[in-house]
Amino acid sequence: MRNAIRYFLRDEHGSASIEFAIVFPAVMVLFLSVVEIGYLATRYVLLERGLDMASRDLRLGREPPPGVDAHTYIKDRICQFSTLGGCEDNLLVELREFDADADFPQNQPTCINRNAEVQVDPLDNFIPGAAGEIMFIRACFLTAPLIPGLGFGLSMPLAESGGYQMVAFTAFMNEPN
């Protein structure tokens, strides 16, 4: 009996399997976290590009087509330039005059609430501004996690209605006439 126990304790068969079983999950979590970070970074860069291109339209004084309000026009332009999937349903844009004596607004961004049955548009004063005014524009986009509940996704704050909040903002001065 003692010899069998000694033999069992000295036997090295299967030791690589135990190491693999311990190390593999950690390596996979790391790998999948890197994939998710790349996915989210790409979506954020696309959102930033869309916001920059749409704010250029505002800065140059390009008016929305007749019958289209400014908020819908800018939102559509951001979605067109960013090529983000589901952009129209997950993007909310706010635009306000920038106070030259202040800093960027410190309040929380307004995002789409997917749980609300009727969404109230908080941007009823969405005015592109006059020539020479400095404007602040902020876009909040909700995106779904690529791998929910694993790795990097666990550390990101989720919105109440689900999804990660991506916020891009910029300031610009409207060109003089």
Side-chain angles (χ1 to χ4, degrees):
M1 182 68 166
R2 285 183 181 228
N3 287 339
I5 292 174
R6 282 187 196 149
Y7 177 75
F8 178 74
L9 292 176
R10 289 185 187 156
D11 188 15
E12 294 184 9
H13 287 88
S15 62
S17 299
I18 293 172
E19 290 174 11
F20 178 79
I22 292 171
V23 173
F24 180 74
V27 170
M28 283 309 296
V29 166
L30 180 65
F31 174 73
L32 293 174
S33 292
V34 168
V35 169
E36 179 135 41
I37 289 170
Y39 170 76
L40 293 173
T42 301
R43 291 181 71 82
Y44 184 74
V45 167
L46 289 172
L47 177 63
E48 282 276 338
R49 179 186 185 277
L51 184 65
D52 286 343
M53 298 296 285
S55 65
R56 182 176 187 272
D57 284 353
L58 283 177
R59 185 179 69 235
L60 295 177
R62 294 190 181 135
E63 297 291 325
V68 177
D69 64 289
H71 180 259
T72 304
Y73 174 71
I74 292 304
K75 185 176 172 180
D76 289 344
R77 296 296 283 172
I78 291 172
C79 291
Q80 176 187 0
F81 289 125
S82 67
T83 66
L84 291 167
C87 182
E88 292 82 12
D89 299 328
N90 295 305
L91 180 70
L92 193 63
V93 182
E94 57 183 307
L95 177 70
R96 59 188 66 196
E97 187 177 350
F98 188 76
D99 185 7
D101 297 330
D103 198 1
F104 285 117
Q106 301 300 319
N107 61 336
Q108 291 296 318
T110 306
C111 289
I112 293 287
N113 185 354
R114 295 176 180 168
N115 296 333
E117 289 181 23
V118 178
Q119 294 184 6
V120 178
D121 189 1
L123 310 168
D124 54 0
N125 58 355
F126 194 91
I127 301 169
E133 283 186 332
I134 299 174
M135 304 299 292
F136 174 77
I137 186 169
R138 178 165 51 184
C140 182
F141 180 71
L142 290 182
T143 185
L146 186 63
I147 308 163
L150 182 69
F152 183 70
L154 290 174
S155 66
M156 289 191 64
L158 286 173
E160 290 178 19
S161 59
Y164 300 137
Q165 292 182 0
M166 291 187 169
V167 179
F169 59 90
T170 189
F172 62 92
M173 177 188 266
N174 287 324
E175 294 291 328
N177 291 337

